[in-house]
Amino acid sequence: MKTAERKNIISWDEYFMGIAELSALRSKDPSTQVGACIVDSNKKVVSIGYNGMPRHCDEHKLTWNKNEGLDSKYLYVCHAEFNAILNTRNGASLEGCSLYVTLFPCNECAKAVIQTGIKEIVYACDKYKDTTGVKASKKLLTLAGVKLRKYVGRDLKTMTK
C-alpha cells in the first residue's frame, strides 16, 4: 500500500531563507540580526554566516552602539554576507551561486558578492533602501549583472505540520 505524500513541504527558497533566518539568531547585535546562506546551482549549501565581531577580538572591548567615531559598531562588525563568503570551505568557488540574505546587502558586501561571482541575491528585507550605501549597492550589482530578487515565501514561524 502506498503512503500519501506530505503536502505542506517548504520550497527551496523557503528552505534556504530559513537557514539564513536561523543563522541570524546567532548574532549578538542587539538591534539588527542578519543571516546569510550561499547555495550552488545544485541546491547545495556552500556556506552560511551572520553579522558579528571578528573572531579572536574580545567582544567586550568593542561596541554594539550606533554612535559616531570609534564608539560605533559599524567600524567593527563583519556583515553576514561577508562572513558567509569568508566561511566558504577550502576556497570553494562561489561562481554562479545564489545568496539568500535576511537584509539587503550594503555597498561593501555588494563588492564582495560581485568579486566572488555570486549571480543572484534573494533578500527578505530592504529597510535601508533609501540610504546612499544601499543605492550604491544596487547600482553596482545591476552593473555587474547580479540578479536581485525579493523573497516571497511563507513565514516559516507560522507554519504548522
Side-chain angles (χ1 to χ4, degrees), residues 124-138:
C125 177
D126 193 12
K127 70 180 179 178
Y128 298 115
K129 66 180 177 237
D130 295 324
T131 65
T132 302
V134 170
K135 288 178 182 178
S137 175
K138 288 179 181 177

PDB file of all heavy atoms in Angstrom, residues 124-138:
ATOM      1  N   ALA A 124      15.233  39.164   2.042  1.00  0.00           N
ATOM      2  CA  ALA A 124      13.948  39.203   2.744  1.00  0.00           C
ATOM      3  C   ALA A 124      13.508  40.627   3.053  1.00  0.00           C
ATOM      4  O   ALA A 124      12.337  40.953   2.948  1.00  0.00           O
ATOM      5  CB  ALA A 124      14.030  38.383   4.028  1.00  0.00           C
ATOM      6  N   CYS A 125      14.439  41.482   3.437  1.00  0.00           N
ATOM      7  CA  CYS A 125      14.103  42.833   3.907  1.00  0.00           C
ATOM      8  C   CYS A 125      14.989  43.852   3.203  1.00  0.00           C
ATOM      9  O   CYS A 125      16.159  43.595   2.953  1.00  0.00           O
ATOM     10  CB  CYS A 125      14.306  42.891   5.415  1.00  0.00           C
ATOM     11  SG  CYS A 125      14.018  44.505   6.154  1.00  0.00           S
ATOM     12  N   ASP A 126      14.408  45.018   2.909  1.00  0.00           N
ATOM     13  CA  ASP A 126      15.150  46.099   2.262  1.00  0.00           C
ATOM     14  C   ASP A 126      14.872  47.419   2.993  1.00  0.00           C
ATOM     15  O   ASP A 126      14.624  48.444   2.376  1.00  0.00           O
ATOM     16  CB  ASP A 126      14.746  46.183   0.782  1.00  0.00           C
ATOM     17  CG  ASP A 126      15.680  47.043  -0.047  1.00  0.00           C
ATOM     18  OD1 ASP A 126      16.764  47.407   0.450  1.00  0.00           O
ATOM     19  OD2 ASP A 126      15.316  47.348  -1.199  1.00  0.00           O
ATOM     20  N   LYS A 127      14.946  47.358   4.331  1.00  0.00           N
ATOM     21  CA  LYS A 127      14.548  48.519   5.126  1.00  0.00           C
ATOM     22  C   LYS A 127      15.478  49.727   4.986  1.00  0.00           C
ATOM     23  O   LYS A 127      15.097  50.830   5.342  1.00  0.00           O
ATOM     24  CB  LYS A 127      14.375  48.145   6.593  1.00  0.00           C
ATOM     25  CG  LYS A 127      15.638  47.819   7.351  1.00  0.00           C
ATOM     26  CD  LYS A 127      15.309  47.465   8.793  1.00  0.00           C
ATOM     27  CE  LYS A 127      16.525  47.118   9.590  1.00  0.00           C
ATOM     28  NZ  LYS A 127      16.196  46.818  10.985  1.00  0.00           N
ATOM     29  N   TYR A 128      16.669  49.539   4.448  1.00  0.00           N
ATOM     30  CA  TYR A 128      17.593  50.658   4.258  1.00  0.00           C
ATOM     31  C   TYR A 128      17.673  51.101   2.798  1.00  0.00           C
ATOM     32  O   TYR A 128      18.650  51.711   2.378  1.00  0.00           O
ATOM     33  CB  TYR A 128      18.981  50.286   4.789  1.00  0.00           C
ATOM     34  CG  TYR A 128      18.994  49.985   6.264  1.00  0.00           C
ATOM     35  CD1 TYR A 128      19.298  48.709   6.729  1.00  0.00           C
ATOM     36  CD2 TYR A 128      18.672  50.970   7.197  1.00  0.00           C
ATOM     37  CE1 TYR A 128      19.294  48.426   8.091  1.00  0.00           C
ATOM     38  CE2 TYR A 128      18.659  50.691   8.556  1.00  0.00           C
ATOM     39  CZ  TYR A 128      18.971  49.421   8.989  1.00  0.00           C
ATOM     40  OH  TYR A 128      18.959  49.152  10.338  1.00  0.00           O
ATOM     41  N   LYS A 129      16.646  50.792   2.012  1.00  0.00           N
ATOM     42  CA  LYS A 129      16.661  51.061   0.577  1.00  0.00           C
ATOM     43  C   LYS A 129      16.887  52.524   0.210  1.00  0.00           C
ATOM     44  O   LYS A 129      17.369  52.819  -0.885  1.00  0.00           O
ATOM     45  CB  LYS A 129      15.377  50.556  -0.070  1.00  0.00           C
ATOM     46  CG  LYS A 129      14.133  51.290   0.373  1.00  0.00           C
ATOM     47  CD  LYS A 129      12.895  50.735  -0.297  1.00  0.00           C
ATOM     48  CE  LYS A 129      11.678  51.445   0.224  1.00  0.00           C
ATOM     49  NZ  LYS A 129      10.704  50.559   0.792  1.00  0.00           N
ATOM     50  N   ASP A 130      16.568  53.440   1.105  1.00  0.00           N
ATOM     51  CA  ASP A 130      16.725  54.871   0.812  1.00  0.00           C
ATOM     52  C   ASP A 130      18.087  55.425   1.214  1.00  0.00           C
ATOM     53  O   ASP A 130      18.345  56.607   1.033  1.00  0.00           O
ATOM     54  CB  ASP A 130      15.608  55.675   1.494  1.00  0.00           C
ATOM     55  CG  ASP A 130      14.239  55.322   0.926  1.00  0.00           C
ATOM     56  OD1 ASP A 130      14.150  55.076  -0.297  1.00  0.00           O
ATOM     57  OD2 ASP A 130      13.266  55.277   1.695  1.00  0.00           O
ATOM     58  N   THR A 131      18.966  54.576   1.752  1.00  0.00           N
ATOM     59  CA  THR A 131      20.291  55.044   2.155  1.00  0.00           C
ATOM     60  C   THR A 131      21.238  55.068   0.961  1.00  0.00           C
ATOM     61  O   THR A 131      21.066  54.308  -0.007  1.00  0.00           O
ATOM     62  CB  THR A 131      20.896  54.153   3.256  1.00  0.00           C
ATOM     63  OG1 THR A 131      21.122  52.848   2.719  1.00  0.00           O
ATOM     64  CG2 THR A 131      19.982  54.078   4.481  1.00  0.00           C
ATOM     65  N   THR A 132      22.237  55.908   1.037  1.00  0.00           N
ATOM     66  CA  THR A 132      23.231  56.014  -0.034  1.00  0.00           C
ATOM     67  C   THR A 132      23.938  54.685  -0.254  1.00  0.00           C
ATOM     68  O   THR A 132      24.170  54.274  -1.391  1.00  0.00           O
ATOM     69  CB  THR A 132      24.248  57.123   0.297  1.00  0.00           C
ATOM     70  OG1 THR A 132      23.532  58.346   0.474  1.00  0.00           O
ATOM     71  CG2 THR A 132      25.273  57.287  -0.805  1.00  0.00           C
ATOM     72  N   GLY A 133      24.287  53.996   0.827  1.00  0.00           N
ATOM     73  CA  GLY A 133      25.001  52.729   0.725  1.00  0.00           C
ATOM     74  C   GLY A 133      24.228  51.660  -0.034  1.00  0.00           C
ATOM     75  O   GLY A 133      24.788  50.942  -0.858  1.00  0.00           O
ATOM     76  N   VAL A 134      22.940  51.534   0.232  1.00  0.00           N
ATOM     77  CA  VAL A 134      22.136  50.526  -0.461  1.00  0.00           C
ATOM     78  C   VAL A 134      21.858  50.957  -1.903  1.00  0.00           C
ATOM     79  O   VAL A 134      21.851  50.119  -2.817  1.00  0.00           O
ATOM     80  CB  VAL A 134      20.834  50.203   0.310  1.00  0.00           C
ATOM     81  CG1 VAL A 134      19.894  49.340  -0.518  1.00  0.00           C
ATOM     82  CG2 VAL A 134      21.168  49.489   1.622  1.00  0.00           C
ATOM     83  N   LYS A 135      21.678  52.240  -2.125  1.00  0.00           N
ATOM     84  CA  LYS A 135      21.514  52.712  -3.509  1.00  0.00           C
ATOM     85  C   LYS A 135      22.775  52.408  -4.324  1.00  0.00           C
ATOM     86  O   LYS A 135      22.693  51.961  -5.469  1.00  0.00           O
ATOM     87  CB  LYS A 135      21.217  54.205  -3.531  1.00  0.00           C
ATOM     88  CG  LYS A 135      19.810  54.545  -3.051  1.00  0.00           C
ATOM     89  CD  LYS A 135      19.585  56.047  -3.048  1.00  0.00           C
ATOM     90  CE  LYS A 135      18.205  56.389  -2.522  1.00  0.00           C
ATOM     91  NZ  LYS A 135      17.970  57.844  -2.461  1.00  0.00           N
ATOM     92  N   ALA A 136      23.940  52.632  -3.729  1.00  0.00           N
ATOM     93  CA  ALA A 136      25.206  52.316  -4.404  1.00  0.00           C
ATOM     94  C   ALA A 136      25.326  50.809  -4.623  1.00  0.00           C
ATOM     95  O   ALA A 136      25.783  50.361  -5.684  1.00  0.00           O
ATOM     96  CB  ALA A 136      26.386  52.834  -3.588  1.00  0.00           C
ATOM     97  N   SER A 137      24.897  50.029  -3.637  1.00  0.00           N
ATOM     98  CA  SER A 137      24.924  48.579  -3.739  1.00  0.00           C
ATOM     99  C   SER A 137      24.108  48.117  -4.939  1.00  0.00           C
ATOM    100  O   SER A 137      24.569  47.310  -5.757  1.00  0.00           O
ATOM    101  CB  SER A 137      24.364  47.964  -2.449  1.00  0.00           C
ATOM    102  OG  SER A 137      24.262  46.571  -2.556  1.00  0.00           O
ATOM    103  N   LYS A 138      22.889  48.624  -5.062  1.00  0.00           N
ATOM    104  CA  LYS A 138      22.019  48.230  -6.169  1.00  0.00           C
ATOM    105  C   LYS A 138      22.606  48.654  -7.516  1.00  0.00           C
ATOM    106  O   LYS A 138      22.503  47.906  -8.496  1.00  0.00           O
ATOM    107  CB  LYS A 138      20.623  48.813  -5.969  1.00  0.00           C
ATOM    108  CG  LYS A 138      19.880  48.123  -4.845  1.00  0.00           C
ATOM    109  CD  LYS A 138      18.516  48.698  -4.612  1.00  0.00           C
ATOM    110  CE  LYS A 138      17.839  47.972  -3.453  1.00  0.00           C
ATOM    111  NZ  LYS A 138      16.541  48.519  -3.112  1.00  0.00           N
TER     112      LYS A 138
END
